[in-house]
Short mmCIF file of all heavy atoms in Angstrom, two decimals:
data_model
loop_
_atom_site.label_atom_id
_atom_site.label_comp_id
_atom_site.label_asym_id
_atom_site.label_seq_id
_atom_site.Cartn_x
_atom_site.Cartn_y
_atom_site.Cartn_z
N ASP A 317 12.45 2.39 -16.00
CA ASP A 317 11.48 2.72 -17.06
C ASP A 317 10.86 4.10 -16.89
O ASP A 317 9.65 4.27 -17.03
CB ASP A 317 10.37 1.65 -17.12
CG ASP A 317 10.92 0.27 -17.38
OD1 ASP A 317 11.44 0.03 -18.48
OD2 ASP A 317 10.86 -0.57 -16.47
N ASN A 318 11.68 5.09 -16.60
CA ASN A 318 11.20 6.46 -16.47
C ASN A 318 11.86 7.37 -17.49
O ASN A 318 12.40 6.90 -18.49
CB ASN A 318 11.42 6.95 -15.02
CG ASN A 318 10.35 6.42 -14.08
OD1 ASN A 318 9.18 6.73 -14.21
ND2 ASN A 318 10.76 5.60 -13.11
N GLN A 319 11.81 8.68 -17.24
CA GLN A 319 12.35 9.65 -18.19
C GLN A 319 13.57 10.39 -17.60
O GLN A 319 13.81 11.55 -17.92
CB GLN A 319 11.26 10.67 -18.57
CG GLN A 319 10.04 10.05 -19.21
CD GLN A 319 10.39 9.30 -20.49
OE1 GLN A 319 11.16 9.80 -21.31
NE2 GLN A 319 9.82 8.12 -20.67
N ILE A 320 14.31 9.71 -16.74
CA ILE A 320 15.46 10.33 -16.09
C ILE A 320 16.59 10.51 -17.10
O ILE A 320 17.09 9.53 -17.66
CB ILE A 320 15.93 9.47 -14.90
CG1 ILE A 320 14.80 9.30 -13.89
CG2 ILE A 320 17.16 10.09 -14.24
CD1 ILE A 320 15.03 8.19 -12.90
N SER A 321 16.97 11.75 -17.35
CA SER A 321 18.00 12.02 -18.37
C SER A 321 19.13 12.90 -17.84
O SER A 321 20.12 13.10 -18.54
CB SER A 321 17.37 12.71 -19.59
OG SER A 321 16.77 13.94 -19.23
N GLN A 322 19.00 13.43 -16.62
CA GLN A 322 20.00 14.35 -16.08
C GLN A 322 20.68 13.76 -14.84
O GLN A 322 20.04 13.11 -14.02
CB GLN A 322 19.33 15.69 -15.70
CG GLN A 322 18.63 16.39 -16.85
CD GLN A 322 19.59 16.80 -17.95
OE1 GLN A 322 20.70 17.23 -17.67
NE2 GLN A 322 19.15 16.69 -19.20
N TRP A 323 21.99 14.04 -14.73
CA TRP A 323 22.75 13.55 -13.58
C TRP A 323 22.30 14.23 -12.29
O TRP A 323 22.58 13.74 -11.18
CB TRP A 323 24.24 13.76 -13.80
CG TRP A 323 24.81 12.73 -14.73
CD1 TRP A 323 25.23 12.92 -16.02
CD2 TRP A 323 25.02 11.34 -14.46
NE1 TRP A 323 25.68 11.74 -16.57
CE2 TRP A 323 25.57 10.75 -15.63
CE3 TRP A 323 24.79 10.53 -13.34
CZ2 TRP A 323 25.89 9.40 -15.70
CZ3 TRP A 323 25.11 9.19 -13.43
CH2 TRP A 323 25.65 8.63 -14.58
N SER A 324 21.63 15.36 -12.40
CA SER A 324 21.13 16.04 -11.21
C SER A 324 20.18 15.16 -10.41
O SER A 324 20.09 15.26 -9.18
CB SER A 324 20.45 17.36 -11.59
OG SER A 324 19.39 17.12 -12.50
N PHE A 325 19.44 14.28 -11.09
CA PHE A 325 18.54 13.34 -10.40
C PHE A 325 19.36 12.44 -9.48
O PHE A 325 19.00 12.24 -8.31
CB PHE A 325 17.78 12.52 -11.44
CG PHE A 325 16.69 11.65 -10.85
CD1 PHE A 325 15.36 12.05 -10.92
CD2 PHE A 325 16.97 10.44 -10.24
CE1 PHE A 325 14.35 11.26 -10.37
CE2 PHE A 325 15.98 9.65 -9.69
CZ PHE A 325 14.66 10.07 -9.76
N ILE A 326 20.46 11.91 -9.99
CA ILE A 326 21.31 11.01 -9.20
C ILE A 326 21.96 11.78 -8.05
O ILE A 326 22.08 11.27 -6.93
CB ILE A 326 22.38 10.36 -10.09
CG1 ILE A 326 21.71 9.62 -11.27
CG2 ILE A 326 23.25 9.40 -9.29
CD1 ILE A 326 20.77 8.50 -10.87
N ASN A 327 22.39 13.02 -8.34
CA ASN A 327 22.99 13.84 -7.27
C ASN A 327 22.04 13.99 -6.09
O ASN A 327 22.45 13.93 -4.92
CB ASN A 327 23.34 15.23 -7.81
CG ASN A 327 24.50 15.19 -8.80
OD1 ASN A 327 25.27 14.24 -8.83
ND2 ASN A 327 24.61 16.23 -9.61
N GLU A 328 20.75 14.21 -6.38
CA GLU A 328 19.77 14.40 -5.31
C GLU A 328 19.62 13.15 -4.45
O GLU A 328 19.39 13.23 -3.24
CB GLU A 328 18.42 14.80 -5.89
CG GLU A 328 18.35 16.22 -6.43
CD GLU A 328 18.54 17.26 -5.34
OE1 GLU A 328 17.78 17.24 -4.35
OE2 GLU A 328 19.46 18.08 -5.48
N LEU A 329 19.76 11.98 -5.06
CA LEU A 329 19.58 10.73 -4.31
C LEU A 329 20.64 10.56 -3.23
O LEU A 329 20.42 9.86 -2.24
CB LEU A 329 19.58 9.52 -5.25
CG LEU A 329 18.47 9.49 -6.32
CD1 LEU A 329 18.52 8.17 -7.09
CD2 LEU A 329 17.10 9.70 -5.70
N ASP A 330 21.79 11.20 -3.40
CA ASP A 330 22.83 11.13 -2.38
C ASP A 330 22.40 11.84 -1.09
O ASP A 330 23.01 11.66 -0.04
CB ASP A 330 24.13 11.75 -2.90
CG ASP A 330 25.30 11.52 -1.96
OD1 ASP A 330 25.53 10.35 -1.57
OD2 ASP A 330 25.96 12.51 -1.57
N LYS A 331 21.34 12.64 -1.18
CA LYS A 331 20.83 13.35 0.00
C LYS A 331 19.95 12.47 0.88
O LYS A 331 19.62 12.85 2.01
CB LYS A 331 20.04 14.59 -0.44
CG LYS A 331 20.87 15.63 -1.17
CD LYS A 331 20.01 16.81 -1.61
CE LYS A 331 20.83 17.87 -2.33
NZ LYS A 331 19.99 19.01 -2.78
N LEU A 332 19.54 11.30 0.37
CA LEU A 332 18.70 10.40 1.16
C LEU A 332 19.55 9.70 2.21
O LEU A 332 20.45 8.94 1.88
CB LEU A 332 18.01 9.38 0.24
CG LEU A 332 16.98 9.96 -0.73
CD1 LEU A 332 16.60 8.93 -1.78
CD2 LEU A 332 15.74 10.44 0.02
N GLN A 333 19.24 9.92 3.46
CA GLN A 333 20.14 9.51 4.54
C GLN A 333 20.27 8.01 4.72
O GLN A 333 21.30 7.53 5.22
CB GLN A 333 19.69 10.15 5.86
CG GLN A 333 18.24 9.88 6.23
CD GLN A 333 17.80 10.66 7.45
OE1 GLN A 333 18.21 10.36 8.56
NE2 GLN A 333 16.98 11.68 7.26
N SER A 334 19.27 7.22 4.30
CA SER A 334 19.31 5.77 4.55
C SER A 334 19.43 4.95 3.27
O SER A 334 19.46 3.71 3.34
CB SER A 334 18.04 5.33 5.30
OG SER A 334 17.94 6.00 6.54
#
Side-chain angles (χ1 to χ4, degrees):
D317 301 293
N318 281 296
Q319 300 301 316
I320 301 164
S321 60
Q322 302 296 321
W323 283 108
S324 57
F325 188 101
I326 304 299
N327 290 340
E328 288 296 304
L329 298 186
D330 188 52
K331 297 178 180 179
L332 293 168
Q333 55 187 288
S334 300

